[in-house]
Every structure is written in C-alpha cells, then in structure tokens.
C-alpha cells in the first residue's frame, strides 16, 4: 500500500512556520491579489488566498476589477502596486478576460514582487538555478518530496505536461536536485513506456484519471498535480488513484495533495519577496 502524502498537513506546518518567522522578526508583510471579472472559481481561489494570508499573519489587499477592464487599466493598477511599500507580493488571478494581454501584465510586475514567478526574469533565474522565487506549484511539489525525505538525486523523473506554470519549471527544479528528467507532452510517443521508467512520476496534464496503473512502475512516487472538475463539481486528479495506488510507494491525493502546497508556497514566496525587497 502506498503512503499517502498529506498536502493539507504539510501546508499547515509550512504556514505555521511562516507565521512564526513573521512574528519572530516583527515583519510587516503584504500580498495584493488582483481579480478581474466574475469567474466564480477565481473568486473561490481568491478567498482561499485571503484566508491563508490571515493564517500566516500576512496582510492581504484585494483589488476586484470589472470584466471589461482593459490591459492599460490593469497595467495602471500594477504600476501602483509596484511602488506601494505595503505590498510585497502581487498576484494577478488567472484566467484573465480575453481582451487582456497576459504576457504584458506578467511582464509589468516588479520581479521582486512577482510571487507567482511568471515574469521572464524569475523564469530565467529558475532556469539558471539561481532563484529566490519559483512557480508555486512546482515549488510545492519539491517541498513535499523534501519533507517526506524523498531524494531526487539520480532518480528517473518523468513530468507529463510542459506548461510554463507547471511542467517546465517542475522539470527544472527536479534537474537542479540532480534528477534525470524527462518531459512528456501530447506528442510524446510511447508515453506509457516512458512513464513506467519513472521513479518519480509527476502528472500535470489536465485530463481526469489519465494516468492509470499501466503508466506506473512498481514502487514509484506518484505526484498528481491535476485539478479537474467533474460531475457535481467533484474534483478529480490526472491520476486514476484507485488504479495507480497499489503500485506506488508514495502518492498524493486530489483534493488534499499538491493544491494546498501550492497555496502554502504562495505565502512562502510572499515572505521571500519581503526579504528580497529589504536587501
Ligand atoms: P496546460 O493545459 O497548460 O498543459 C497541459 C499539458 O499536458 C500540456 O503540455 C499538454 O501537452 C499535456 N498533455 C495534454 N494531453 C496530453 C496527452 N494526452 N498526453 C500527454 N500529455 C498531454 O495545463 P497546466 O499545466 O496549467 O495544468 C495541468 C493540470 O494541473 C490541470 O489539471 C490544472 O488544473 C492543474 N493545476 C493544478 C495546480 C495545483 O495547485 N494543484 C496549479 C496549476 C495547475 P502539449 O503541450 O503538447 O499540448
């Protein structure tokens, strides 16, 4: 039977550590969350972030803009937040309405306040292995592995998915920890065979229950990044949990796995951003 990696418990510990550090050093830390439009899921996520901030002793500043907001209007707000001393981290909740140029918006954020680490400066630093801020989801996965005592060094790591926010930075972070990393995507030939080589298999695909037991080597660590909504709004991962679990040595559940770790890493990045701005 696989050991279930409890993302809820780990994230609670991390948030308590952040709170303790903020109190110990009497820091004033602030996160601005910008929400454009009426996407119901985004409103839920922003509320979670507010709650996380409160738990960590971080001030949260919410900016809700109408669905019709233009790129220029969003840029004007980003400019204001970039120079606001109370704001150490800026997060633009995505997805954004279609008329907004996401790349331009990401590029406008002061890299030292870029707690999502989507700015090209931070993406480049992650590539170089000389970074302070890394994308929250891959950073959360690395933290999970570390806190479970699972070494990456020398291991075959297979990442399924090559997005800029999950797959690519995930592969880089594993590489920096000396994993032997393969990145797969929709054009990968013999995906099952490639996945079955993995000591650490990371699914970031966006297809419910895609990774069945056929993709899993006996004893592999299986990390499910996927969040897919099914009937009745139920959440499904990219891994077919019941099918894969008997083969895995460690596995993350959905919900309660990578999701809460991503949120904890946003808090950690906000504290890191505060430190960076004080240098
Ligand atoms: P994207 O849609 O941006 O990327 C999906 C990737 O999966 C692409 O690289 C795509 O390949 C690949 N893919 C799609 N179909 C296949 C297939 N049949 N075989 C192999 N590869 C395939 O998604 P994201 O990276 O943004 O997110 C992935 C999942 O993670 C989603 O479920 C998302 O909701 C979830 N997520 C969870 C987070 C968390 O906190 N737990 C945070 C962020 C995302 P190609 O490039 O060739 O199209």
């Amino acid at each position: 039977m696989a050991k279930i990696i409890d993302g809820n418990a780990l994230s609670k510990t991390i948030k308590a550590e952040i709170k303790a550090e903020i109190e110990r050093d009497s820091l004033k830390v602030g996160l601005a969350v910008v929400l454009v439009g009426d996407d119901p899921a985004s409103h839920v996520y922003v509320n979670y972030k507010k709650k996380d901030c409160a738990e960590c002793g971080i001030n949260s500043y919410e900016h809700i803009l109408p669905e019709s907001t233009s790129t220029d209007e969003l840029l004007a707000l980003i400019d204001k937040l970039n120079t606001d001393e109370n704001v150490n981290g800026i997060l633009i909740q995505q997805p954004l309405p279609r008329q907004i140029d996401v790349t331009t918006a990401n590029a406008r954020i002061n890299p030292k306040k870029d707690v999502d680490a989507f700015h090209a400066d931070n993406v480049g630093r992650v590539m170089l292995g000389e970074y302070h801020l890394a994308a929250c989801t891959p950073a959360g996965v690395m933290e999970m592995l570390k806190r479970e005592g699972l070494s990456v060094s020398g291991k075959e790591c297979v990442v399924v998915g090559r997005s800029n926010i999950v797959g690519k930075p995930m592969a880089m972070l594993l590489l920096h920890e000396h994993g032997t990393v393969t990145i797969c995507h929709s054009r990968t030939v013999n995906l099952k065979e490639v996945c079955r080589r993995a000591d650490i298999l990371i699914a970031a695909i966006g297809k419910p229950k895609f990774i069945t037991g056929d993709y899993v080597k006996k004893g592999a660590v299986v990390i499910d990044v996927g969040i897919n909504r099914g009937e009745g709004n139920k959440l499904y991962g990219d891994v077919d949990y019941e099918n894969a679990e008997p083969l895995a040595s460690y596995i993350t559940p959905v919900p309660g796995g990578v999701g809460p770790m991503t949120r904890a890493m946003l808090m950690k990045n906000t504290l890191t951003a505060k430190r960076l701005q004080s240098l």
Side-chain angles (χ1 to χ4, degrees):
M1 234 176 78
K3 174 162 193 239
I4 300 165
I5 307 181
D6 184 345
N8 282 326
L10 289 174
S11 72
K12 221 169 144 188
T13 304
I14 293 166
K15 286 191 276 185
E17 289 168 3
I18 293 168
K19 185 177 199 296
E21 188 178 330
I22 288 174
E23 284 175 0
R24 185 196 65 204
D25 295 348
S26 308
L27 298 174
K28 188 164 173 277
V29 186
L31 173 67
V33 180
V34 180
L35 177 54
V36 187
D38 320 309
D39 178 44
S42 291
H43 278 268
V44 172
Y45 291 138
V46 166
N47 282 332
Y48 281 153
K49 283 164 192 169
K50 259 168 47 182
K51 194 172 149 272
D52 290 334
C53 282
E55 276 176 45
C56 294
I58 293 175
N59 299 313
S60 63
Y61 307 101
E62 194 180 73
H63 296 267
I64 300 182
L65 302 179
E67 184 78 30
S68 58
T69 301
S70 67
T71 301
D72 283 344
E73 285 165 334
L74 178 59
L75 294 180
L77 174 60
I78 295 172
D79 288 344
K80 223 172 87 189
L81 298 174
N82 277 340
T83 54
D84 185 339
E85 284 188 359
N86 292 320
V87 171
N88 304 109
I90 303 171
L91 181 132
I92 314 287
Q93 184 66 43
Q94 306 207 8
L96 287 165
R98 227 175 284 153
Q99 75 277 8
I100 291 185
D101 180 346
V102 182
T103 312
T104 305
N106 286 340
R108 192 69 158 244
I109 296 173
N110 174 351
K112 286 190 176 168
K113 295 191 176 186
D114 173 35
V115 285
D116 256 338
F118 293 166
H119 191 290
D121 258 37
N122 289 318
V123 173
R125 284 175 195 279
V126 166
M127 186 85 184
L128 293 170
E130 294 163 8
Y131 60 91
H132 295 288
L133 298 168
C136 297
T137 300
V141 172
M142 295 309 288
E143 197 67 32
M144 268 183 150
L145 295 174
K146 195 169 114 195
R147 287 181 187 244
E148 287 295 329
L150 294 165
S151 165
V152 173
S153 183
K155 301 277 163 55
E156 285 274 358
C157 305
V158 174
V159 180
V160 190
R162 57 173 164 180
S163 72
N164 289 334
I165 63 168
V166 187
K168 284 183 203 164
M170 186 73 253
M172 276 304 132
L173 298 187
L174 291 164
L175 187 62
H176 295 321
E177 288 302 318
H178 315 292
T180 302
V181 184
T182 306
I183 310 177
C184 300
H185 45 79
S186 64
R187 315 262 180 111
T188 298
V189 178
N190 296 333
L191 182 64
K192 273 186 195 168
E193 284 72 12
V194 179
C195 289
R196 271 205 301 263
R197 291 208 306 254
D199 301 310
I200 300 175
L201 177 61
I202 301 190
I205 309 163
K207 298 218 158 117
K209 298 189 172 197
F210 184 94
I211 300 289
T212 57
D214 294 351
Y215 291 76
V216 179
K217 178 169 90 176
K218 193 155 176 33
V221 174
V222 178
I223 307 287
D224 190 352
V225 176
I227 299 182
N228 309 287
R229 284 196 187 270
E231 259 177 47
N233 230 15
K234 190 172 181 291
L235 290 185
Y236 294 93
D238 288 344
V239 175
D240 184 343
Y241 186 91
E242 280 71 31
N243 203 252
E245 184 272 336
L247 291 151
S249 57
Y250 287 78
I251 193 163
T252 64
V254 176
V258 176
M261 292 302 286
T262 299
R263 286 168 49 191
M265 288 302 111
L266 175 65
M267 299 299 111
K268 198 161 182 199
N269 276 353
T270 305
L271 177 54
T272 301
K274 166 77 185 179
R275 298 277 191 206
L276 278 177
Q277 289 151 40
S278 313
L279 289 178

